[in-house]
Amino acid sequence: MDLDDRTRVADVMSAPLETIGADVPLREAARRMRDQDISALVVTTGGGCIVTQSDVVGAVADERDLAATTVRDVMTEDVETVTPDLMMQEVAAMMTMYGVKHLPVVDDDYVGMVSSTDIAEHLS
């Protein structure tokens, strides 16, 4: 990443933020991600939680019943967040350090999502 690049999260984040309830069936979360061509949803009733395509794949690999399994059963908890004014270099470093592909963007409330895909598109 270009160290002179002054691009901020707000310039590349996905917005509006897509959310889902914790008690929604996981199958519905998978459908929404597919239909909206996104790979993560912020969970509205989880307090800093997201559900990702990786969470869904894990549930399938574990042979869980996707109709009976809820988002709460597989969601990723205590997710790190970033602010809209953070520089993209810092976001890339955070993703590497924490081993994550998605970071919710918070400005008093959730306002968007920044992903490794957003970073790759920004660099291309």
Side-chain angles (χ1 to χ4, degrees), residues 20-98:
I20 195 162
D23 296 321
V24 172
L26 188 59
R27 182 178 306 238
E28 176 60 24
R31 279 191 195 118
R32 288 192 44 205
M33 284 188 258
R34 179 199 62 200
D35 293 349
Q36 297 175 19
D37 194 27
I38 57 176
S39 55
L41 299 162
V42 168
V43 182
T44 56
T45 54
C49 303
I50 63 174
V51 61
T52 68
Q53 284 179 338
S54 295
D55 297 325
V56 174
V57 168
V60 170
D62 291 342
E63 299 180 3
R64 295 183 83 152
D65 178 354
L66 297 186
T69 302
T70 66
V71 167
R72 182 184 314 279
D73 297 329
V74 301
M75 66 189 183
T76 302
E77 300 182 74
D78 301 320
V79 176
E80 295 294 327
T81 62
V82 295
T83 59
D85 61 341
L86 198 64
M87 301 302 242
M88 289 305 296
Q89 298 96 317
E90 296 170 279
V91 172
M94 286 178 70
M95 286 182 175
T96 300
M97 183 172 63
Y98 294 117

